[in-house]
Amino acid sequence: MNDSVFVGELSWKEYEALVADGQRVLFLPVGALEQHGHHLCMDVDVLLPTAVSQRVAQRIGGLVLPALPYGYKSQQKSGGGNHFPGTTSLDGATLSHTVLDIIRELGRHGVRRLVLMNGHYENAMFLVEGIDLGLRELRYAGIDDFRVVLLSYWDFVKDPQVIAQLYPDGFLGWDIEHGGVFETSLMLALYPQRVDMSRVVDHPPATFPPYDLYPIDPSRTPAPGTLSSARGASREKGELILEVCVEGIAKAVGEAFENAP
Ligand SMILES: [Zn+2]
């Protein structure tokens, strides 16, 4: 018997047997192809939610769908902006409709429990829209017991003691974490071969006015593309983040589906 948690590695008969009763939790990692500074590869937002999904799925007996490798357009204050070479983004409606299509197909297979594991800040509201459209379509088809949990894995790192360990000089906020200590530490723990710490550009945290102006002024983004320095990143911090996320998400997903009406 194939014991992989990755749906793409199963035969359709194995998959059918695993999802038939609707009890199994499926994870859909949703990422982006986006620049992450000079020291990281561009598929960070795909790799990290996939790795978290894999570990949570192994813990709770779930399955992991192939990740969506593209996401919504990078925004200046959270991802540096959509003007960098390599950053390759979808229109919001394309992302929402992709989620709709996947929910419809999973519903047809008998799946009733889905976790959207977001790895790219800008995706969030378009995932909400995709879930809404998907559940509406399933309702019209007479399926009203499909449940979706939407989460961004970094939201599970909340404990002030953990934050203090990660940021001994003070935490600056998730919005400017792009390519910084958090993502770089996780990459060092999971995919060290895709990180080149010698190319980290040390720069002060990005500062932006409390409004957005379009088209954006690219000169407001720190030139390397990161929004804060990754200088303080380490494998140990990455392992700590991973442990906290996997533990917290496994518990939350269990509770969410158990308590769902
Ligand atoms: Zn990222």
Side-chain angles (χ1 to χ4, degrees), residues 112-178:
R112 293 295 181 267
R113 296 172 171 191
L114 174 66
V115 176
L116 291 193
M117 178 81 70
N118 184 29
H120 173 67
Y121 185 87
E122 289 85 339
N123 287 340
M125 204 48 76
F126 298 101
L127 300 182
V128 173
E129 176 69 354
I131 293 166
D132 186 63
L133 297 177
L135 294 185
R136 188 169 73 187
E137 190 163 319
L138 290 182
R139 253 188 337 266
Y140 290 162
I143 297 172
D144 60 4
D145 57 349
F146 197 107
R147 299 287 178 270
V148 186
V149 167
L150 169 62
L151 62 91
S152 297
Y153 65 89
W154 54 84
D155 283 335
F156 287 79
V157 182
K158 278 189 152 74
D159 182 341
Q161 281 183 353
V162 174
I163 296 279
Q165 281 184 64
L166 300 177
Y167 304 96
D169 301 326
F171 180 48
L172 298 160
W174 292 125
D175 44 345
I176 57 163
E177 245 304 325
H178 180 68

Side-chain angles (χ1 to χ4, degrees), residues 10-32:
L10 305 176
S11 73
W12 75 267
K13 293 301 289 179
E14 289 166 333
Y15 172 80
E16 180 186 49
L18 289 170
V19 305
D21 68 359
Q23 294 300 302
R24 200 159 301 270
V25 178
L26 269 71
F27 293 82
L28 176 62
V30 191

Side-chain angles (χ1 to χ4, degrees), residues 1-168:
M1 180 66 195
N2 191 336
D3 61 359
S4 172
V5 295
F6 290 108
V7 167
E9 296 179 6
L10 305 176
S11 73
W12 75 267
K13 293 301 289 179
E14 289 166 333
Y15 172 80
E16 180 186 49
L18 289 170
V19 305
D21 68 359
Q23 294 300 302
R24 200 159 301 270
V25 178
L26 269 71
F27 293 82
L28 176 62
V30 191
L33 181 60
E34 183 189 33
Q35 69 78 22
H36 276 71
H38 296 187
H39 65 295
L40 288 173
C41 56
M42 291 200 292
D43 56 357
V44 168
D45 293 356
V46 179
L47 295 174
L48 296 183
T50 301
V52 174
S53 293
Q54 178 188 7
R55 282 158 181 76
V56 178
Q58 281 163 342
R59 195 172 289 200
I60 69 168
L63 293 173
V64 183
L65 292 156
L68 296 185
Y70 299 97
Y72 183 64
K73 295 155 197 162
S74 181
Q75 297 297 297
Q76 186 166 40
K77 287 176 176 174
S78 47
N82 215 64
H83 54 289
F84 286 86
T87 296
T88 307
S89 305
L90 303 176
D91 284 346
T94 309
L95 178 57
S96 297
H97 278 261
T98 304
V99 171
L100 157 66
D101 289 348
I102 292 170
I103 288 177
R104 182 202 306 114
E105 289 290 87
L106 296 178
R108 176 175 69 78
H109 306 159
V111 172
R112 293 295 181 267
R113 296 172 171 191
L114 174 66
V115 176
L116 291 193
M117 178 81 70
N118 184 29
H120 173 67
Y121 185 87
E122 289 85 339
N123 287 340
M125 204 48 76
F126 298 101
L127 300 182
V128 173
E129 176 69 354
I131 293 166
D132 186 63
L133 297 177
L135 294 185
R136 188 169 73 187
E137 190 163 319
L138 290 182
R139 253 188 337 266
Y140 290 162
I143 297 172
D144 60 4
D145 57 349
F146 197 107
R147 299 287 178 270
V148 186
V149 167
L150 169 62
L151 62 91
S152 297
Y153 65 89
W154 54 84
D155 283 335
F156 287 79
V157 182
K158 278 189 152 74
D159 182 341
Q161 281 183 353
V162 174
I163 296 279
Q165 281 184 64
L166 300 177
Y167 304 96

Side-chain angles (χ1 to χ4, degrees), residues 39-41 43-44 47-48 51 55 183-200 233-236 238-239 242:
H39 65 295
L40 288 173
C41 56
D43 56 357
V44 168
L47 295 174
L48 296 183
R55 282 158 181 76
E183 286 182 315
T184 304
S185 295
L186 274 173
M187 287 297 290
L188 285 170
L190 289 161
Y191 302 97
Q193 69 282 13
R194 300 214 197 186
V195 189
D196 183 350
M197 288 303 284
S198 74
R199 301 180 80 175
V200 168
S234 71
R235 183 175 56 79
E236 292 72 21
E239 282 164 1
L242 196 59

